[in-house]
Amino acid sequence: MSIEDDEILQGFIEESLEHLADIENDLLAIEERGADIDVELVNKVFRAAHSIKGGAGFMGLNVIQDLAHAAENVLGLIRSEKLVPNPDIINVLLLAADELQHLIEDVANSNSVDISSHTAALNAIFEGGEAPASVPRTSQEKIVSETDASIEAQHEAPITEPLFSAPPPEEPIEEITVEEEGVLDQEIDQTEDSVAESGRGTRARGSSSTPQKTDTSIRVTVSLLDQLMNLAGELVLSRNQLLQTITSGDVRNAEAVGQRIDLVTSELQEAIMLTRMQPIGNVFNKFPRVVRDLSKKLGKQIDLTIVGKDVELDKTIIEAINDPLTHLVRNSVDHGIESPEERIAKSKDVCGLIVLKAYHAAGQVVIEISDDGKGLDGNVLAETAVKKGLITADQAKVMSEKERINLILLPGFSTAKKVTDVSGRGVGMDVVKTNLDQLGGSIDIESEVGKGSTISIKLPLTLAIIPCQIVMTGGERYAIPQVNLEELLRIPASKVKERVERVGDAEVVRLRGNLLPLIRMAEVFGIEPTYFDPVQEETKPDRRRNIADRRSKSSPLFKEDATPPSKERDPANEQERVASERRQSASSALNIVVVSTGAMKYGLIVDRLHDSEEIVIKPLGRHLQQCQGYAGATIMGDGRIALILDVSNIARMAGLTSLDGSERAAELADAAKEAITKTRDKQALLTFSSSEQEQFGVPLNQVERVEKIKRHHIEQIGGRRVMQYRGGSLPLISIDEVASVLPLDEREDLLVIVFHIAGKDVGLLAIGPIDAIEISADIDDVTLKQPGIMGSTIIGGKTTMLVDIFEIMRILNPQWFEDHAAYAEIGADDLVVPTILIVEDSNFFRNQVKGYMEEAGFNVLEGEDGVAAWNILEEQGDSVAMVVTDIEMPNMDGFTLTEKIKTDGRFKHLPVIALTTLAADEDIARGKTVGVDEYHIKLDKERLMESVHRYAKAAVKA
């Protein structure tokens, strides 16, 4: 009988590995307490070693039994407080725990392994009360010797995994190059990182061909299994109803049965996905040991703070991010945190800090690795990249600071001075990025010289089913993962000529003051360019050479006559149209999918935009895996195949480089900055209707999503309207419940605009047409103002009422806001009510924010621009607790005002919240540079007041 078939032995292995899973962190906690021994914690580790010893003895695993017994003896001395656990003793116990894990994972060969060095060290402690001078080599030293022999083979190993195919957790990652002299240390040998898990991963013994052990079981709660059983029962009942309906020919009932099957299937899908979800703490728990061992070796003092261990991810993703996270954490220890001498010279705390944080954001999991070290110098990185021939000097000159920092992600990039057993082989960040790309994730780096770096990783929750935007080009459908999707842009035919321009050889579109590179999907994939004719509803060949070319029958680029044969053309009129080169027909409109991959953002031009769908990922066949630009495939509802696009590879295939630093981009930025003082504030709105006669708008940043529903999806329960939404009930409201407006239209097709307010989701019922626009108009806050309506403006020649969704919910559900008590209470004990200075040139926005503050009980001072605000600070600065400022203002903008505040000794302690419509990465980066503490979008009352409350509370306590 094989080991895999021996259930008793398998049970022992699983139980023992569970015992060992926590031993590492428990031993580190024991070491940290030192002489103040936590007996309960020591007992826990002692019981684990005792259980392993007993099970191994029963199984005849003598080597495991002997090692566990030797460790148990030492733990027994610590438990009885006869031995004080110092770092040397804990190091011996940690190495013994590593060896136990290796032995248990390779239990078939465990009895032939020599453990004399470990037992001798443990017995020496047991007999003499202290660690011997010579202890077994550390895991890292063993790993270096094991991996050096295989570097040559790894160098040739190409990375050919598709985007959604996760690599094995312990797979060695390819070696790219060995570096020479550089400028400053930045890289760690990824070959070592991929296996340097301080003994917690599977290790090859004696031969690199030893198969790696993978988990064959997973823990699932009984309640989840009960839920799956119930859902399976519901599915069987629905299937029987469907069969009966088909047999009887009851078409009317078939729709209801279909909806029931759809609901049960969605719930079943969610429940099944939960069975694969594991806490990210399974990966995070190993990093205290990694940081401890490496900092000790490098002579540094480092604290590690871990936040968000309970955040859950798909088991496959957790296994795949093991290596990238190990590399990044070790990189922070080795190169981010300075030596104690350097930190003292820079007036920093001698003990460095690394923060490892995980949290949910916008349907993804974000992992941040932050350190308070020396940071990355973009100029040094650019200079090094030029020396290595990775970029040209001309490219370096036009790069933005963000692009220069991202050079560290290029293959073969390294600035290490020498090759060591810890770093300097030029392998690392590029491989980390490749692995994350394969997972459908992204990486973003923020760094400030002298203050530290933050690396953010965004990952999908699961690889099996993902939401995608479906597009069509060349008559074929493609799927773009929503994790890469920024926005959808449609440029009307009449606007293409003015919106699209050329920068060098690249076609770009102006989007909110920035230049966005454009890629024609058909060109990248070498397929026949086409366009969709909405009149004839046909896909036709597109023979235009440039995006902005006019499509007409007289054009030599377009031979097809678009004019009906019955109509004769006026030659004079035709000449006028050719000369103007204007695109007029609806078929000439541009459909652009704005996507991002790391620091790169571009527009992908497609023929048509379809709905977003949740798709099931299917890997590409072996014969298609070499095709660039595709990450996988899926089967659509009609049975046809749709390929999933890899937006990162598409950018590389098109030879795309960012235009952030180009002269034209600089000109455009200067023009936009100059226009700030000449134009009114812009606000992004979602416009919709509630009846045929009235149009409404709501700030786009407040909208979570928009759902299409049928009227019969609405249920009346307990006197309230609700609908089933994501496994729960979504409360539904309409504007006419509060405001004096026309009632909701009685049509069958409705829209539900979903908001997240006071920690709960709520749906606003509406009808189309729906549009997302950016307005720069005066807002009238008097004429139509009423409960639920904050004001009105003219959009597209139609009066549009601006909805105050917070006020509507406060009126309809006041109990939701009981936990959000008046902010004046924070100073009640000290009889101190904080004063807030609001700086805003728009009367409408200033009055809105002032209303928020006064409603919460704050004192408010107002300034119409930066100059007026500075004068107020000069006169009444002692009473001001914080500043909430606009950015785009005449006379003195918000950036300049913030810089003056933060560089003045009297006011530099004041928190500054930027309340603006500028929220692009470059604006946020500039704001951080001058000292902005937080950014918030205008009219987002809830998030703004949460921040104001937090800062005001801190000011009162101070």
Side-chain angles (χ1 to χ4, degrees):
M1 180 183 293
S2 67
I3 291 175
E4 288 75 10
D5 295 331
D6 190 334
E7 293 184 6
I8 298 178
L9 183 56
Q10 280 298 315
F12 163 75
I13 293 172
E14 291 178 9
E15 182 183 352
S16 298
L17 291 177
E18 286 177 12
H19 284 309
L20 290 169
D22 296 327
I23 277 184
E24 187 172 279
N25 287 332
D26 290 341
L27 288 172
L28 293 178
I30 292 170
E31 176 188 33
E32 189 175 348
R33 294 180 67 98
D36 182 18
I37 296 174
D38 185 340
V39 177
E40 186 174 335
L41 191 59
V42 177
N43 274 332
K44 179 184 174 185
V45 181
F46 180 88
R47 286 193 299 268
H50 182 75
S51 298
I52 293 173
K53 181 190 76 170
F58 176 76
M59 295 291 173
L61 303 173
N62 299 328
V63 171
I64 295 176
Q65 180 185 16
D66 292 344
L67 184 55
H69 179 66
E72 182 187 23
N73 288 339
V74 175
L75 290 166
L77 291 179
I78 298 174
R79 183 174 65 161
S80 60
E81 300 187 7
K82 295 179 181 177
L83 181 67
V84 176
N86 59 37
D88 291 333
I89 291 173
I90 294 297
N91 194 54
V92 173
L93 287 169
L94 285 169
L95 292 173
D98 294 343
E99 190 65 25
L100 275 174
Q101 179 155 340
H102 301 149
L103 292 169
I104 292 169
E105 288 173 343
D106 189 18
V107 70
N109 302 311
S110 63
N111 279 345
S112 60
V113 175
D114 181 11
I115 59 165
S116 57
S117 59
H118 293 281
T119 54
L122 289 166
N123 291 334
I125 296 173
F126 179 65
E127 295 167 3
E130 61 180 17
S134 176
V135 297
R137 292 191 303 166
T138 66
S139 298
Q140 186 182 31
E141 290 170 335
K142 293 182 181 180
I143 289 161
V144 171
S145 63
E146 289 171 7
T147 54
D148 282 345
S150 60
I151 286 177
E152 201 64 35
Q154 295 166 21
H155 179 74
E156 302 298 330
I159 298 177
T160 58
E161 294 285 324
L163 179 61
F164 298 102
S165 177
E170 300 302 327
E171 181 177 333
I173 300 179
E174 64 173 329
E175 182 79 33
I176 295 180
T177 183
V178 175
E179 292 303 331
E180 301 172 355
E181 286 291 312
V183 185
L184 73 114
D185 291 341
Q186 294 295 347
E187 296 299 327
I188 295 178
D189 184 357
Q190 178 67 21
T191 311
E192 296 162 16
D193 287 348
S194 63
V195 290
E197 301 189 11
S198 300
R200 291 186 60 81
T202 312
R203 181 182 63 175
R205 288 189 169 276
S207 170
S208 59
S209 61
T210 302
Q212 296 174 343
K213 184 177 180 61
T214 58
D215 290 340
T216 57
S217 62
I218 192 169
R219 283 186 176 273
V220 180
T221 61
V222 175
S223 61
L224 183 55
L225 291 176
D226 290 340
Q227 184 182 354
L228 286 171
M229 287 297 296
N230 292 335
L231 288 171
E234 292 288 337
L235 196 60
V236 170
L237 291 176
S238 300
R239 180 199 63 186
N240 295 341
Q241 291 176 354
L242 181 62
L243 292 174
Q244 184 177 354
T245 302
I246 294 173
T247 304
S248 63
D250 186 355
V251 179
R252 180 177 298 180
N253 193 39
E255 183 178 357
V257 175
Q259 291 174 356
R260 178 62 182 164
I261 291 177
D262 179 54
L263 178 62
V264 173
T265 303
S266 298
E267 293 181 3
L268 188 61
Q269 169 196 320
E270 292 180 9
I272 291 174
M273 294 311 303
L274 288 175
T275 64
R276 294 185 56 83
M277 302 300 274
Q278 298 281 291
I280 202 168
N282 292 348
V283 176
F284 281 6
N285 285 338
K286 76 171 187 179
F287 290 120
R289 171 77 180 280
V290 172
V291 172
R292 171 196 180 272
D293 289 352
L294 192 56
S295 59
K296 186 177 179 181
K297 179 173 183 178
L298 298 173
K300 298 179 180 180
Q301 299 178 35
I302 301 174
D303 283 338
L304 175 66
T305 300
I306 296 179
V307 181
K309 284 185 179 182
D310 295 333
V311 172
E312 292 190 332
L313 272 172
D314 188 288
K315 178 176 177 291
T316 306
I317 297 180
I318 284 182
E319 291 173 348
I321 64 171
N322 197 3
D323 292 346
L325 282 183
T326 300
H327 176 87
L328 295 174
V329 171
R330 286 165 53 88
N331 218 18
S332 292
V333 174
D334 193 26
H335 304 301
I337 303 296
E338 308 95 331
S339 65
E341 296 77 18
E342 290 179 87
R343 294 183 68 85
I344 292 173
K346 295 177 181 179
S347 300
K348 290 185 176 183
D349 190 328
V350 69
C351 184
L353 176 65
I354 296 176
V355 178
L356 187 58
K357 180 179 180 181
Y359 58 93
H360 288 283
Q364 297 175 269
V365 169
V366 181
I367 302 174
E368 292 182 354
I369 302 98
S370 306
D371 66 65
D372 64 348
K374 55 190 170 186
L376 297 170
D377 190 328
N379 294 327
V380 173
L381 298 178
E383 181 182 344
T384 305
V386 171
K387 287 181 180 178
K388 296 180 180 300
L390 299 174
I391 60 172
T392 65
D394 291 337
Q395 287 176 315
K397 288 179 183 177
V398 301
M399 281 185 166
S400 64
E401 181 65 18
K402 183 85 170 175
E403 290 176 303
R404 294 184 178 204
I405 290 176
N406 282 322
L407 287 172
I408 200 171
L409 301 175
L410 291 178
F413 185 91
S414 175
T415 53
K417 294 179 180 179
K418 60 183 179 179
V419 175
T420 70
D421 65 339
V422 176
S423 64
R425 287 194 168 87
V427 181
M429 294 298 289
D430 64 302
V431 184
V432 169
K433 184 178 185 302
T434 300
N435 283 3
L436 293 174
D437 286 343
Q438 291 170 356
L439 293 171
S442 62
I443 184 171
D444 181 67
I445 304 174
E446 291 185 9
S447 186
E448 187 173 349
V449 176
K451 293 189 176 180
S453 304
T454 297
I455 299 177
S456 299
I457 296 172
K458 292 184 179 180
L459 294 164
L461 290 173
T462 177
L463 298 182
I465 301 174
I466 61 169
C468 281
Q469 173 67 43
I470 306 300
V471 301
M472 180 171 279
T473 290
E476 296 292 336
R477 283 176 295 184
Y478 300 89
I480 300 175
Q482 281 192 7
V483 66
N484 300 118
L485 186 65
E486 292 284 327
E487 60 183 296
L488 301 177
L489 179 64
R490 180 178 174 84
I491 302 179
S494 59
K495 298 289 185 181
V496 171
K497 193 75 174 179
E498 63 184 73
R499 295 285 300 276
V500 177
E501 57 182 283
R502 297 188 73 86
V503 176
D505 295 332
E507 290 176 304
V508 300
V509 64
R510 284 177 289 172
L511 183 64
R512 292 188 289 278
N514 296 312
L515 290 182
L516 184 74
L518 295 177
I519 294 177
R520 285 190 270 193
M521 185 174 163
E523 286 186 0
V524 173
F525 289 107
I527 58 180
E528 181 184 9
T530 58
Y531 71 95
F532 180 74
D533 188 335
V535 177
Q536 300 183 16
E537 295 188 350
E538 294 180 2
T539 298
K540 299 179 179 180
D542 187 355
R543 297 185 177 88
R544 293 170 301 169
R545 292 193 181 95
N546 299 314
I547 294 174
D549 287 341
R550 182 179 63 86
R551 181 183 293 120
S552 74
K553 62 182 179 180
S554 64
S555 171
L557 303 178
F558 189 76
K559 306 300 183 184
E560 202 170 353
D561 197 333
T563 306
S566 60
K567 294 186 178 181
E568 294 186 0
R569 293 176 301 186
D570 182 347
N573 184 45
E574 188 63 35
Q575 286 180 358
E576 183 181 342
R577 289 177 62 198
V578 172
S580 66
E581 291 189 355
R582 300 292 293 180
R583 301 160 53 115
Q584 300 296 337
S585 71
S587 62
S588 292
L590 276 187
N591 295 310
I592 301 173
V593 183
V594 182
V595 296
S596 65
T597 167
M600 178 69 68
K601 182 188 290 187
Y602 64 89
L604 191 65
I605 299 176
V606 299
D607 293 354
R608 298 179 67 186
L609 300 172
H610 291 275
D611 289 338
S612 60
E613 294 185 19
E614 285 193 333
I615 63 171
V616 179
I617 305 300
K618 301 290 184 184
L620 291 173
R622 185 175 301 174
H623 57 294
L624 294 175
Q625 287 185 0
Q626 300 301 323
C627 295
Q628 295 184 6
Y630 302 124
T634 187
I635 301 175
M636 305 300 293
D638 58 4
R640 296 178 61 190
I641 299 294
L643 292 171
I644 303 168
L645 298 181
D646 184 343
V647 298
S648 178
N649 269 332
I650 290 175
R652 284 195 286 268
M653 291 165 65
L656 189 64
T657 57
S658 173
L659 299 168
D660 285 352
S662 69
E663 292 181 7
R664 177 62 183 134
E667 292 173 9
L668 200 60
D670 291 340
K673 186 177 180 180
E674 183 179 346
I676 285 174
T677 60
K678 300 179 181 179
T679 61
R680 294 176 291 272
D681 275 317
K682 289 187 176 181
Q683 179 68 44
L685 295 178
L686 181 75
T687 61
F688 58 93
S689 297
S690 184
S691 64
E692 293 287 353
Q693 290 77 32
E694 294 174 332
Q695 180 169 290
F696 300 93
V698 67
L700 186 60
N701 65 287
Q702 296 176 4
V703 177
E704 293 289 323
R705 59 189 292 126
V706 179
E707 301 277 358
K708 294 180 181 179
I709 68 166
K710 299 289 186 182
R711 181 172 287 277
H712 63 260
H713 290 156
I714 302 174
E715 302 177 48
Q716 289 279 355
I717 299 176
R720 301 199 175 192
R721 289 179 290 187
V722 297
M723 64 173 280
Q724 295 181 10
Y725 178 74
R726 296 189 170 184
S729 294
L730 179 73
L732 300 176
I733 61 172
S734 57
I735 300 171
D736 60 281
E737 292 182 58
V738 172
S740 297
V741 299
L742 295 175
L744 181 68
D745 197 280
E746 291 296 326
R747 66 179 62 180
E748 177 66 16
D749 295 319
L750 297 174
L751 299 173
V752 175
I753 305 171
V754 181
F755 301 89
H756 191 74
I757 299 174
K760 302 175 180 66
D761 286 333
V762 62
L764 179 64
L765 291 168
I767 63 172
I770 189 169
D771 195 8
I773 63 172
E774 193 174 69
I775 65 168
S776 178
D778 283 326
I779 298 175
D780 181 352
D781 59 352
V782 176
T783 307
L784 296 175
K785 183 174 175 60
Q786 57 178 304
I789 303 296
M790 68 178 77
S792 61
T793 187
I794 307 299
I795 299 177
K798 193 168 184 178
T799 300
T800 303
M801 289 179 277
L802 302 182
V803 176
D804 189 338
I805 189 66
F806 297 101
E807 186 175 15
I808 290 176
M809 292 311 301
R810 189 178 291 276
I811 293 172
L812 294 177
N813 295 289
Q815 69 276 9
W816 285 19
F817 299 89
E818 289 176 357
D819 294 335
H820 295 244
Y823 297 100
E825 294 179 6
I826 61 176
D829 295 339
D830 303 312
L831 299 178
V832 174
V833 177
T835 298
I836 299 173
L837 173 59
I838 299 173
V839 192
E840 170 63 71
D841 62 313
S842 164
N843 286 332
F844 171 78
F845 289 116
R846 189 168 67 249
N847 289 335
Q848 287 292 320
V849 177
K850 179 182 178 182
Y852 301 162
M853 305 297 182
E854 290 180 340
E855 178 188 356
F858 293 110
N859 294 327
V860 175
L861 297 175
E862 301 176 65
E864 63 184 13
D865 57 35
V867 173
W870 184 253
N871 292 334
I872 292 173
L873 283 174
E874 292 275 9
E875 297 172 3
Q876 308 179 50
D878 293 341
S879 63
V880 176
M882 79 182 73
V883 178
V884 177
T885 179
D886 183 23
I887 293 298
E888 313 101 308
M889 296 182 295
N891 300 325
M892 183 190 295
D893 65 20
F895 289 136
T896 306
L897 174 62
T898 303
E899 191 169 17
K900 284 177 70 70
I901 291 173
K902 294 297 185 179
T903 54
D904 191 300
R906 297 169 296 170
F907 311 126
K908 64 182 181 180
H909 66 283
L910 294 179
V912 177
I913 297 176
L915 193 61
T916 180
T917 56
L918 290 178
D921 291 342
E922 56 270 24
D923 299 310
I924 294 175
R926 184 182 174 191
K928 285 186 176 180
T929 302
V930 299
V932 171
D933 293 285
E934 285 192 26
Y935 264 87
H936 289 284
I937 306 298
K938 291 180 178 180
L939 300 182
D940 192 344
K941 177 181 177 181
E942 189 167 33
R943 290 186 177 89
L944 169 64
M945 294 312 297
E946 285 177 359
S947 294
V948 170
H949 182 202
R950 186 172 65 254
Y951 284 116
K953 190 173 182 179
V956 169
K957 287 183 177 179

